[in-house]
Structure formats: structure tokens, C-alpha cells
Amino acid sequence: MTQQGVRWTADQVLALAPDAASRKAGSKLGAAGPWSEAGSSGEGTVWGLCKGSGSKPYQTIIDIADAAGPAYKCSCPSRKFPCKHALGLLLLWAGEGGTVPRGPAPDWAEQWTAGRRQRAEEKRTAAAAGSPSTGDPEAARRRAERRAERITAGAVELEQRLADLLRGGLAAAEQAGYGLWEESAARMVDAQAPGLAARVRELGAIPSSGPGWPVRLLEECALIHLLVQGWLRRERLPDGLAATVRARIGLSGQADGPPTRDHWLVLAQYDTSESHLTTRRIWLHGAESARTALLLSYGAAGRAPELALPVGLAFEADLSAYAGAGQLRVALGEQLTPPAPTTVRPPGMTTVEAAVRYGEALRSDPWLDSYPVTLDRVIPTPAGDTWQLADADGDLALPITMSAAARPGLWRLIALSGGAPVTVFGECGHRGFTPLTAWPEGQGEAVSLC
């Protein structure tokens, strides 16, 4: 059961938005004007009718008590989850004034809720009973061997291309343009090595990335060379490092680690998009285990992933780790409670400790671009044309990455701080620090910066 006596904040609701346009449109629907027959139940369901452009209002219903995060249903034609009507209804529910009173659900809302919970119960029953594997282990082994052979052939070809580039000089990369690397990336996709393909594709953008690009290109070529050599020599690597190499190549492993049950605080959530895929990253912090974990969820191009968890809330669940040295990715197992407000915050560290933590993580995963850390008592301060997070009790600072400095979230962080120390969770890497969530001094709510 969700804690119906405690409302979410507007920030927690808007953090669920799949994109900026949905956030803006949902905010406009967060007032009582377009809504009628809005209500809520003690079991965590919120519903309402929203006036649209047609003659019939849109029927919108949200199951806040779903342990995996809110579930949505709206009769509008939008393909976004949640749609602007669901966001508006949640904002209305989170506000003051009693505009979403308690009461019995209408038939259309009750039918949807009952159907969802029946399917969830059937799924739990099937999982408890277990089902025998119908796959052919020998056929699976042969498929894996054929894929490994294709990856090896592609890796050897890529090594030759890198060698040709270095022999001809890095200036050739600027002259060849993006097409050279796009062709190489396509060959890696054909070889079924999507992780390697993504790294190769990034090479094409480096020559146009500004002063110092030859150094950055050489660094990235060296990392790709290291990854290829790791793959070619994977049988000689320690198990953990070999699993990391396979994951970086793009071979999806299994979350076969022992489940860890904890109350997980949702630290941050943000999406990245490629041509055919949207990837959602959800960072979690275990209140008892003090462990940081990463949930990944995927959606087809143009559609947001369905899994969404409000930043700043916590839920009890089992998480199982994926194989790999230093890997933080987990799979979501049994969820025992829905996300609910909490006073838990992750423990913080200084900027120096954060840089050391990233350096230690690189030992296990040399291809790691960044590592999740929480900075305690830092103040956003200008540094030339950009910004940095300076220790309030020291004289050192971490630069904010250029990409983060260009986003509106930076100004939310500056406004939250107002020159005073704040706690900031984000990703610390060789390009600087990317702030994702912040908390003010005292007992204030989490503010998403994504």
C-alpha cells in the first residue's frame, strides 16, 4: 500500500516525464480546470476525466501503488508513458486543496485496476511454480560459438583499421570524415558486437569536437584497442574482468548474482537516445547495504521505457547483480512495497574522495566514463566560462561537465544552493562531474537536475 497521507512533490512527479515537451504540457494540466470526477482510493489508485479536443473527455487512471513504479492508462492517442494527462493528474493529486478526494472508483477505473492486479497475481503464481526450460542447450552453445567467431573476425578487422589510421597519421581521420567510422561501426553491428560498434561510432565525432581533438582521438583509439585485445585474450583474463570485457563488447549477460533485499532510494533517472533505442538509467541507493546500483530500461525509438521511478522516493525490493568486475548494473526482482517518501539520503564525500573513487573503479573497468558518487557540502561556483562544485570546507573543486553546464538543471542547482552548501548526487568522470540530483541543507526534498 502506498502512503496516501503523504503527497509527492511536483519535482518527483515531473521527474517521470519522458521528455521536456511532456513535462511542459503536463504542467499546464496540473490545475483543476480541465479535470472532472477526479478521485483517489486508499489502495493507491488515482483517476479523473480530462477535457480534450474531442467531445468525450480522456479517461486517465494511475496505479501509484504498483511496486515497480506508477502504472498508467489513458484513453488519449499519445504513445508516451506517462502521457501529459497522467502527469497533469499526478500534479493535481500532489497539490493542495482537496481537488482529488478519496472515494469509490468509477467502473472503468475499477475494471482496469482489477485486471492489472489479477495479471500480476497470475504472474507471481507462475513464477513461484517455475517453468522448465524449453531451450536446447546444445543449440544455444552453437549459436554462442558462431556469434563469438563473428565478433572475433570483426575485432581483427577493426584492429587493422586502427593500425592503418596510426600509420597514416591522425589527420587522415579529419579528412575522411564521419563516414569512415560509420562504416566500421556498421561492420561491428553485423558482427553482433553493439557495444564495440557504439564506441567506434563515437570516433567519428571527435575530429569536430574542438581544440585538442587529436589527443582525445588517440585516447579513444587506445581504449578500443585495449577492448579488442581483451576480447581476443578473454580466456586468459580473470573471470570478473572477462565478464566486463564481454559486457563492453555488447554481449548481454545474466543477472545471476544473489539477490540483495533493501530499501532502495531512487537517486536519479534520465534517458539517452540513439537512432533506434531509448535507454533509461535509474540510480538507486540501498539504505541498509549502502550500495549504489543501476537499473537499465529500454524503449523503441520515439517511445520512453515503461519503467519509471520517482526521484527521492524509496521502495523495498530484491536486486540481482550482473556479472563483471566493478559492474553496478542490477536486475529488478521481487518488489515488496511501492515507492514512498523517505528521509534517507546517501552518505556524501569530498571532491577529492570522489576523484579517488573514480580512479579505483577504473582498475576493474578501464572503459568506465564515469562513476556514481554523492558530494557532501559543495557549492556551485563559476569557473571562467563554466561552473564547478567547490568543497564548502576546503579549497578544491570538481569541474561540471560541459554537457551538464548547458542544461537547465544547472540553474536549478544554483537556485537551490543560493550560495549555501548542498548535497549533490551525480556521475564523476574524466570529463568532470555531471550533477543529477541535489538536496538542500537540512530536511529538504530531493530536486532532480535531469
Side-chain angles (χ1 to χ4, degrees):
M1 300 296 178
T2 188
Q3 296 181 23
Q4 293 294 301
V6 183
R7 301 298 191 189
W8 296 358
T9 66
D11 275 337
Q12 288 166 342
V13 172
L14 293 176
L16 299 171
D19 51 41
S22 297
R23 189 177 299 115
K24 182 178 180 180
S27 297
K28 293 180 179 179
L29 295 174
W35 293 96
S36 61
E37 300 182 28
S40 63
S41 75
E43 295 183 345
T45 306
V46 182
W47 60 85
L49 301 177
C50 186
K51 181 176 175 56
S53 56
S55 59
K56 290 185 177 181
Y58 296 124
Q59 296 177 338
T60 307
I61 180 170
I62 306 162
D63 185 1
I64 302 170
D66 191 289
Y72 318 94
K73 174 67 175 178
C74 185
S75 60
C76 76
S78 175
R79 297 178 63 189
K80 296 180 180 180
F81 295 95
C83 67
K84 63 181 181 181
H85 306 101
L87 289 170
L89 181 57
L90 276 176
L91 287 171
L92 191 69
W93 169 78
E96 301 292 340
T99 50
V100 185
R102 292 278 190 92
D107 290 343
W108 58 269
E110 184 63 37
Q111 289 172 6
W112 180 79
T113 303
R116 270 186 53 77
R117 293 180 180 168
Q118 180 180 351
R119 289 190 296 273
E121 182 60 32
E122 290 172 352
K123 186 176 179 180
R124 283 192 293 269
T125 302
S131 58
S133 174
T134 58
D136 182 346
E138 180 60 24
R141 184 189 64 78
R142 289 196 298 269
R143 287 194 298 270
E145 287 181 351
R146 288 194 296 269
R147 183 177 184 183
E149 290 171 359
R150 287 193 292 270
I151 294 174
T152 297
V156 170
E157 179 181 339
L158 179 58
E159 276 284 84
Q160 186 60 53
R161 292 208 172 195
L162 293 176
D164 291 344
L165 172 65
L166 295 178
R167 275 196 296 268
L170 296 181
E174 187 175 29
Q175 297 168 0
Y178 192 80
L180 170 66
W181 300 115
E182 184 60 35
E183 179 187 348
S184 298
R187 297 296 297 271
M188 296 305 103
V189 172
D190 292 341
Q192 293 185 291
L196 193 55
R199 298 195 77 97
V200 171
R201 191 172 284 116
E202 290 175 0
L203 292 177
I206 294 178
S208 60
S209 62
W213 70 263
V215 174
R216 293 192 292 275
L217 180 61
L218 186 60
E219 289 173 347
E220 188 60 30
C221 285
L223 286 172
I224 292 176
H225 167 73
L226 182 64
L227 182 56
V228 167
Q229 290 301 313
W231 169 260
L232 296 177
R233 293 169 170 79
R234 60 192 181 281
E235 303 298 337
R236 301 180 230 169
L237 298 178
D239 291 344
L241 183 56
T244 297
V245 167
R246 287 192 291 270
R248 291 296 181 184
I249 286 286
L251 292 172
S252 57
Q254 298 293 323
D256 53 6
T260 300
R261 179 166 295 183
D262 206 335
H263 285 85
W264 298 97
L265 168 66
V266 184
L267 291 172
Q269 173 180 288
Y270 67 95
D271 295 349
T272 56
S273 297
E274 297 180 6
S275 56
H276 302 295
L277 188 71
T278 298
T279 302
R280 173 164 293 165
R281 289 171 170 82
I282 303 176
W283 285 109
L284 305 172
H285 166 74
E288 286 81 34
S289 63
R291 175 181 173 184
T292 302
L294 174 65
L295 279 175
L296 294 181
S297 182
Y298 301 97
R303 297 196 64 174
E306 290 192 11
L307 179 62
L309 297 170
V311 174
L313 303 189
F315 63 102
E316 187 178 8
D318 292 336
L319 301 182
S320 297
Y322 280 78
Q327 298 299 300
L328 299 178
R329 185 184 174 189
V330 296
L332 183 61
E334 183 182 2
Q335 303 122 59
L336 299 130
T337 65
T342 180
T343 58
V344 173
R345 290 189 184 184
M349 62 184 70
T350 66
T351 57
V352 171
E353 291 169 336
V356 170
R357 184 70 59 85
Y358 172 57
E360 292 172 344
L362 285 174
R363 295 181 197 168
S364 301
D365 186 353
W367 306 278
L368 192 64
D369 288 328
S370 60
Y371 194 79
V373 296
T374 301
L375 301 178
D376 187 33
R377 291 184 53 78
V378 291
I379 302 173
T381 57
D385 295 333
T386 185
W387 288 77
Q388 62 185 5
L389 293 175
D391 284 318
D393 305 315
D395 55 0
L396 298 176
L398 279 175
I400 291 178
T401 57
M402 295 298 292
S403 58
R407 294 202 300 256
L410 173 64
W411 301 108
R412 299 182 75 187
L413 174 60
I414 294 168
L416 179 69
S417 166
V422 290
T423 298
V424 183
F425 169 78
E427 297 170 349
C428 180
H430 60 94
R431 296 184 181 90
F433 186 87
T434 300
L436 299 175
T437 306
W439 295 262
E441 291 269 88
Q443 298 298 318
E445 301 283 351
V447 175
S448 175
L449 308 175
C450 302

